[in-house]
Amino acid sequence: MLAGIPSVARGMFEQAVPMLKRGKPITSAGVDVYLRESDFAAALDDIQSRHAAVEVGSYPFSRDGRFGATLVVRGTDSALIERVLEEVVAAMTALGGETRRI
């Protein structure tokens, strides 16, 4: 339970900070692809199933009359994130998608 008064809540947070456990920072890398999710869902599912240590997310968009998605790889191992993102880009390119690193 936290107080609703900002100055009181701030004091409560400050007291709680030493009790919080810290883990490895989560980082991410992403790419925009101009393909519909249904066109790449199986490929992305395959990549995710081979890399349980990271999370792969797909966030659809429509820009300038084109459909696509932002694909994001998240985890605690930066080198693994980059390798998985390279796999994602290779898979999207093989499916005929135009990619742009974000």
Side-chain angles (χ1 to χ4, degrees):
M1 180 74 70
L2 294 174
I5 301 169
S7 61
V8 175
R10 190 174 303 110
M12 294 172 79
F13 281 124
E14 289 170 0
Q15 289 180 341
V17 168
M19 295 182 281
L20 298 175
K21 293 183 179 181
R22 294 180 186 250
K24 292 181 179 180
I26 296 174
T27 59
S28 64
V31 63
D32 284 343
V33 60
Y34 285 94
L35 286 172
R36 294 172 190 254
E37 271 189 308
S38 59
D39 294 335
F40 63 75
L44 210 59
D45 187 51
D46 179 56
I47 292 169
Q48 176 66 83
S49 68
R50 290 185 283 110
H51 300 286
V54 298
E55 294 180 8
V56 181
S58 173
Y59 307 92
F61 61 75
S62 175
R63 294 184 191 141
D64 301 321
R66 298 171 69 193
F67 292 102
T70 299
L71 306 178
V72 179
V73 180
R74 289 185 182 90
T76 58
D77 181 339
S78 296
L80 178 59
I81 290 169
E82 287 302 318
R83 287 194 306 273
V84 173
L85 189 63
E86 288 174 15
E87 283 187 45
V88 168
V89 169
M92 299 306 110
T93 303
L95 291 169
E98 175 189 333
T99 62
R100 181 181 63 86
R101 180 80 187 250
I102 56 171

